[in-house]
Structures are given as C-alpha cells and as structure tokens.
Amino acid sequence: MDKKIGFIGCGNMGKAILGGLVASKLVSPENITVYNRSAQSVEAISQEFGSQGASSADEVAKQADILIVGVKPNMMANVLGEIRESLKPNAIVVSIAAGVTLETLEFALKDGQKVVRVMPNTPALVNAGMSSITPNKQMSEDESALIVEIFSSFGKAAIVPEYLIHSVVGVSGSAPAYVFMFIEAMADAAVLGGMPRAQAYQFAAQAVMGSAKMVLETGKHPGELKDMVCSPGGTTIEAVKVLEQKGLRAAVMDAMQSCMAKSEEMSRR
C-alpha cells in the first residue's frame, strides 16, 4: 500500500494498529507518521517501529492520506477542529474513540470529508483483535475495503452500520473483560482443586482460546459444540446443569444489555 498513514494520539490501541501494519508489511514504516503530546513517546514509537515522528497534529494532517485519530472522546471534536483546514481534500479520517458518532465527527470537519468510525478491542494488542468499520456516505466501497484491510492486519474486521455500534460494544469492545472474569473464575476453581495458580491460568486460557477457535473454524453452532463435550451421565453435563441453574446465560445477556445501554447514553452526550 503506497498510502501515507498518520496517527494523532498513539496509545496502546494506536500502537497495536501501527504494529499490525508494520508486521504485515501492508505499509512501510517510512510512510507512517505519528504525533503524541509527549515528544518522548513519539521518539520511543519511532525507535520501536521505524515510523516517522511529528512535532504537531497539524504536521501529520498535512501529510496523511489516512489519518487515524486515537485521542480521548472528550478531546476528539477539538482536535479535529484544529486540523480541519490542514487535511488533504481526499483524506480519510478514522476515529477509534468510543461513543463518538459519525455526526459528531462530520460536524467537526469540512463538508464532504471522508470519515470512518472504528471500534477495535484490546486483543488487537496480541494480533487477535476484532474491529467494526463504520464508514460515512462519502466513502466509496473500495475505500471502505481499504480500511477493513488495515484493521485486518492485527485480527479481523467487518463493516457494520452505525445503528449496530452499541451491539458491537457489548459483544466485542467490552467483551474481553467478561472473558477475563470467566478465565479467572475457572482458574480459581482449579486452584481450589489443588492446581498451582500459574498452571490453572494456562489451562483455563487455553481452553477458552481453543473453544473460540473451534467456533470460528468449524462453522458449527456453539450449542452443537457444547453437546459434543457432554457425555451421557458425565462430568461436563453436571457442570452445565449448575451453570443453567445459576443463570449463566441470563446473567451474560443482562450484563451486555447494560453495557449497550451505557454505550447509547455516552453517544448522546
């Protein structure tokens, strides 16, 4: 890809994106420019990834064909307002800020600006992310596909309409926290059974990773895969019975509904 990529605000998620681009060789490091408020962090990123450093957001905006903005949500409108006059006419502005709508992004920029709202998640840090891509009406199919390609360099990505963004937050953006809690609970039970804690985390985490891989790679319904583990009168069906009695499914659904409602509330601010 011969596009020039710019980053304004390159924290953990930004570095995951940058690292994915460089590792996949999708973009050459010399075509990537980064600006952070801390000059030291810019220098550290340049040394780690071979990218170019910038001394201002304006400098990045003038160069970038695709500008990835990773500042905090409450700073997004101000930052975009400051650089709107510096952007190239056909530049694509990508926001990875939670709760910031396309309407808010468009309002802060010039009329007709190409804008994409992206919701990545933290497994991007280990090249296993899942990102939703929501382009505005100014984006062509080819341009949207290009953004999908960029965010697929460190996991998977798919185009999602904006009205589903709160579902994305619940099932992907916030979901790693639920999974970490589940892994921790399983490990605690294994420790209760006498297993050393480090080994318990390894077994629990590998079981979750392997199970997820089976869902993705076999194409089988999760219920069918669950049934494959449950032998008649065996240990697994005993555990499944208790999880059903304790309301695991209902608890997960209730938690996700609360998460989605909070996401919707944040978008109205």
Side-chain angles (χ1 to χ4, degrees):
M1 183 190 301
D2 59 359
K3 301 287 186 183
K4 291 190 178 297
I5 311 295
F7 286 82
I8 295 176
C10 193
N12 287 335
M13 190 60 70
K15 285 192 285 187
I17 299 167
L18 198 164
L21 288 171
V22 172
S24 66
K25 298 183 178 179
L26 186 62
V27 180
S28 299
E30 58 266 24
N31 285 335
I32 301 174
T33 306
V34 175
Y35 168 71
N36 271 343
R37 286 185 296 176
S38 166
Q40 287 182 323
S41 70
V42 172
E43 178 61 27
I45 290 168
S46 296
Q47 289 183 358
E48 182 176 357
F49 299 104
S51 56
Q52 309 302 305
S55 58
S56 69
D58 198 59
E59 182 183 343
V60 179
K62 288 176 179 176
Q63 299 177 29
D65 298 309
I66 299 172
L67 181 64
I68 299 171
V69 188
V71 301
K72 293 180 180 179
N74 63 347
M75 296 172 57
M76 180 64 71
N78 287 339
V79 169
L80 294 182
E82 290 171 4
I83 64 169
R84 59 181 287 171
E85 300 298 332
S86 302
L87 290 165
K88 293 181 178 181
N90 289 317
I92 299 172
V93 177
V94 179
S95 164
I96 58 172
V100 181
T101 65
L102 285 178
E103 182 180 14
T104 298
L105 298 169
E106 290 170 339
F107 185 77
L109 296 165
K110 288 183 177 180
D111 289 344
Q113 187 74 55
K114 296 172 182 177
V115 176
V116 184
R117 182 180 179 184
V118 176
M119 175 60 66
N121 63 4
T122 55
L125 298 170
V126 291
N127 293 319
M130 183 71 223
S131 302
S132 68
I133 311 297
T134 305
N136 72 349
K137 293 179 180 178
Q138 310 303 324
M139 293 280 292
S140 69
E141 287 187 13
D142 287 345
E143 288 168 334
S144 296
L146 184 62
I147 303 303
V148 170
E149 185 179 8
I150 287 172
F151 282 83
S152 295
S153 68
F154 53 87
K156 296 181 182 294
I159 293 177
V160 176
E162 192 168 32
Y163 75 89
L164 288 178
I165 201 72
H166 307 302
S167 294
V168 169
V169 172
V171 77
S172 178
S174 299
Y178 329 147
V179 178
F180 296 146
M181 291 176 69
F182 184 58
I183 289 171
E184 185 180 30
M186 288 200 300
D188 282 347
V191 170
L192 187 62
M195 181 177 281
R197 181 160 292 279
Q199 192 173 45
Y201 282 135
Q202 180 184 36
F203 270 81
Q206 183 66 30
V208 170
M209 185 176 74
S211 302
K213 193 171 183 181
M214 287 181 71
V215 172
L216 291 171
E217 295 187 3
T218 66
K220 294 181 182 294
H221 190 283
E224 182 180 355
L225 294 171
K226 180 262 297 178
D227 289 348
M228 289 167 57
V229 191
C230 294
S231 302
T235 57
T236 307
I237 195 64
E238 281 292 329
V240 168
K241 181 188 72 172
V242 174
L243 290 173
E244 293 287 12
Q245 287 173 339
K246 299 293 185 181
L248 173 69
R249 296 172 197 249
V252 171
M253 292 174 70
D254 286 347
M256 286 182 59
Q257 282 186 309
S258 292
C259 178
M260 290 185 279
K262 183 66 173 182
S263 175
E264 191 168 359
E265 177 189 330
M266 288 173 63
S267 293
R268 292 196 297 264
R269 289 177 183 173

